[in-house]
Amino acid sequence: FLDDTLFAVLACHGVQPFVLRAEEQGFLHTFLAGVATALQHAILYTTETAARQAAESSAYAQTMVAVRHASLHATETMARAAIEAATRAKNTFLANMSHELRTPLNAIINYSELLQEEITEQGHLNYSADLQRIHAAGKHLLTLINDILDFAKIESGKVELYHETFHVPA
């Protein structure tokens, strides 16, 4: 018994029946109490060790989850910054290319118009179809460039809206 609770049973078997004297019974009782205490300490130690290991394992798992979360957050922040930098670079490039592309293209379109007028006045109509193709291709290319640049402005939030009143049927 340990704290009035049955803890263990010791059975002694012998070839001949025997009876223990009071002194032997006291010695056996003291011995069994020591064994019971040692067993109880071993059980407590094992239980505490298992609980500590479980707590350490749980703390480790929580730490790993926190580290993984921080890593994902850092990765997401870096990716977002890279996307923003790429978007700014693209918008800067498109703004610079706007002038670089439009200026010579407008010159080509205007020069083709001048040549067309001159050819018509001089009566060399055999070049007129080629000049019309140059003019149409230049206008088409200018429209594509303007559409790309307008899209870039919309994407970067730099579109300026002008409110106007107009008559719908007209």
Side-chain angles (χ1 to χ4, degrees):
F1 286 93
L2 184 64
D3 297 329
D4 296 328
T5 303
L6 180 62
F7 185 72
V9 175
L10 177 66
C12 297
H13 296 281
V15 180
Q16 300 267 336
F18 62 91
V19 176
L20 296 175
R21 294 178 301 195
E23 180 182 301
E24 292 170 333
Q25 286 179 4
F27 175 73
L28 186 59
H29 187 268
T30 303
F31 172 75
L32 290 176
V35 169
T37 301
L39 285 173
Q40 185 181 32
H41 287 171
I43 291 169
L44 284 173
Y45 176 78
T46 303
T47 303
E48 287 177 9
T49 301
R52 186 176 61 251
Q53 287 174 346
E56 288 172 356
S57 176
S58 176
Y60 176 77
Q62 289 174 354
T63 301
M64 292 308 295
V65 167
V67 166
R68 181 70 176 143
H69 178 72
S71 173
L72 288 173
H73 180 69
T75 302
E76 179 184 349
T77 301
M78 288 172 30
R80 188 173 287 124
I83 290 169
E84 289 170 1
T87 300
R88 282 192 303 275
K90 177 194 71 171
N91 290 338
T92 301
F93 171 78
L94 288 174
N96 291 338
M97 290 310 294
S98 165
H99 176 71
E100 297 299 322
L101 291 173
R102 285 181 183 169
T103 302
L105 196 52
N106 279 321
I108 292 169
I109 292 168
N110 291 333
Y111 193 61
S112 69
E113 288 175 357
L114 286 173
L115 286 175
Q116 220 170 356
E117 287 174 12
E118 205 171 297
I119 293 289
T120 303
E121 287 175 6
Q122 293 178 2
H124 299 289
L125 298 177
N126 51 344
Y127 297 114
S128 182
D130 291 333
L131 288 172
Q132 284 176 353
R133 280 194 285 275
I134 291 170
H135 184 266
K139 285 287 210 182
H140 179 69
L141 188 55
L142 185 61
T143 301
L144 290 174
I145 290 170
N146 286 334
D147 288 347
I148 290 170
L149 294 171
D150 287 345
F151 180 72
K153 283 181 183 178
I154 291 169
E155 194 176 51
S156 66
K158 295 181 180 178
V159 173
E160 295 179 21
L161 298 177
Y162 299 101
H163 298 281
E164 294 181 14
T165 303
F166 60 92
H167 186 258
V168 175

